[in-house]
Amino acid sequence: MPLDGRVQTLNRLFKDKDAQDVMDHALTQLRETSLVSSFGAESVVLLHMAANVDSNVHVLFIDTELLFPETLAYQQQVANVLGLTNVETISASRNAVFERDNENLLHLHDPDACCALRKTEPLQKALKGTDAWITGRKRVQGGERAALDYFEVDRPLGELPRIKINPLAFWDRSDIADYLKQHNLPRHPLVSKGYPSIGCTPCTTRVNDGEDPRAGRWRDQGKTECGIHFEKGRIVRPARAS
């Protein structure tokens, strides 16, 4: 069956299923599936669901080498607590960084190019040969994500299409909070300091009361996404949720 038809069938079959059902299918019925995680503010929920199915799930962690020290420590803590045994840390090559950002200042004048160098390109390289990958995207995040389904066709530029899976597509922030509390999961240390969405150090600020949770990402830069998601071969950069 063509991939588009297969995805449509999966969305129909899982219409009334929950996030854990989707995760179970992704890790037991699909070949060569990776889970991409930032080990950010809400990442532990998806990682916990995956560990419930297979603690050896292939987890890709993108280290941009501009992350908060707290994120690096949290990545180790979560992997240990959940018993994750197959976490692969990926980064831009030394040659690429030297040629395009040897002073680590690219984010100041071209944040899109910085994200492409340090996030998008390493991830696309790591995903080559995989049949599917799992993300933590949700409809509540707004923009292009407002119509998100559990299963999508991912069409990266110059590569074969694959399935992208969004187990938390229909969750809202109360669902996340309830799950964290129910399973007593460790929180990212920066959440309590006013960072509900956490990216790289130079491009993440605290969020004020009443602001959108993602308001602290690329503040005042007209940018809302790092660019790792594609739709019809083009990078998706959804608008912030209101």
Side-chain angles (χ1 to χ4, degrees):
M1 178 185 295
L3 197 58
D4 288 87
R6 185 180 175 193
V7 162
Q8 290 174 8
T9 298
L10 285 170
N11 282 320
R12 185 170 63 253
L13 291 174
F14 282 84
K15 180 179 180 181
D16 298 318
K17 303 292 186 180
D18 63 21
Q20 189 67 61
D21 292 328
V22 175
M23 182 66 77
D24 291 348
H25 182 83
L27 295 182
T28 62
Q29 302 301 314
L30 301 178
R31 298 184 301 110
E32 299 294 331
T33 300
S34 298
L35 189 159
V36 177
S37 179
S38 66
F39 285 82
E42 299 176 345
S43 298
V44 69
V45 170
L46 201 67
L47 291 164
H48 182 264
M49 287 184 176
N52 285 339
V53 182
D54 181 6
S55 61
N56 195 46
V57 56
H58 183 218
V59 178
L60 288 171
F61 170 55
I62 309 172
D63 181 3
T64 63
E65 301 181 318
L66 295 173
L67 298 177
F68 287 91
E70 291 89 341
T71 297
L72 298 175
Y74 184 63
Q75 184 269 311
Q76 292 290 327
Q77 178 192 10
V78 169
N80 290 334
V81 169
L82 299 184
L84 297 169
T85 58
N86 192 15
V87 179
E88 179 184 357
T89 300
I90 58 176
S91 300
S93 71
R94 297 298 87 221
N95 286 342
V97 172
F98 179 77
E99 291 173 1
R100 293 152 61 185
D101 192 17
N102 64 327
E103 295 182 342
N104 292 339
L105 298 176
L106 183 60
H107 65 275
L108 292 176
H109 57 86
D110 196 342
D112 283 345
C114 185
C115 286
L117 168 65
R118 296 179 178 274
K119 293 183 180 180
T120 308
E121 293 171 16
L123 177 60
Q124 292 306 316
K125 181 179 179 180
L127 287 175
K128 281 186 177 180
T130 59
D131 295 312
W133 60 297
I134 303 167
T135 87
R137 297 188 304 156
K138 310 168 193 68
R139 287 190 173 199
V140 71
Q141 292 167 327
E144 295 285 341
R145 302 183 183 191
L148 206 60
D149 274 320
Y150 280 141
F151 300 91
E152 303 174 273
V153 179
D154 183 36
R155 295 182 174 88
L157 290 169
E159 297 182 33
L160 293 174
R162 52 186 165 239
I163 297 177
K164 183 157 57 177
I165 307 144
N166 312 297
L168 304 181
F170 300 96
W171 281 38
D172 59 25
R173 294 184 179 94
S174 65
D175 294 320
I176 295 291
D178 289 346
Y179 192 95
L180 289 166
K181 182 177 180 180
Q182 177 185 356
H183 297 282
N184 193 29
L185 296 175
R187 299 302 310 273
H188 194 298
L190 291 180
V191 171
S192 62
K193 297 180 181 180
Y195 294 84
S197 181
I198 303 160
C200 294
T201 305
C203 300
T204 305
T205 63
R206 288 184 175 85
V207 172
N208 299 317
D209 291 342
E211 284 190 307
D212 182 272
R214 288 180 65 83
R217 303 288 295 277
W218 305 287
R219 190 182 289 278
D220 301 323
Q221 297 186 43
K223 176 178 169 65
T224 60
E225 284 289 331
C226 62
I228 66 173
H229 298 288
F230 289 80
E231 178 64 32
K232 296 180 181 178
R234 300 180 64 182
I235 292 175
V236 174
R237 304 190 186 283
R240 282 197 179 94
S242 60

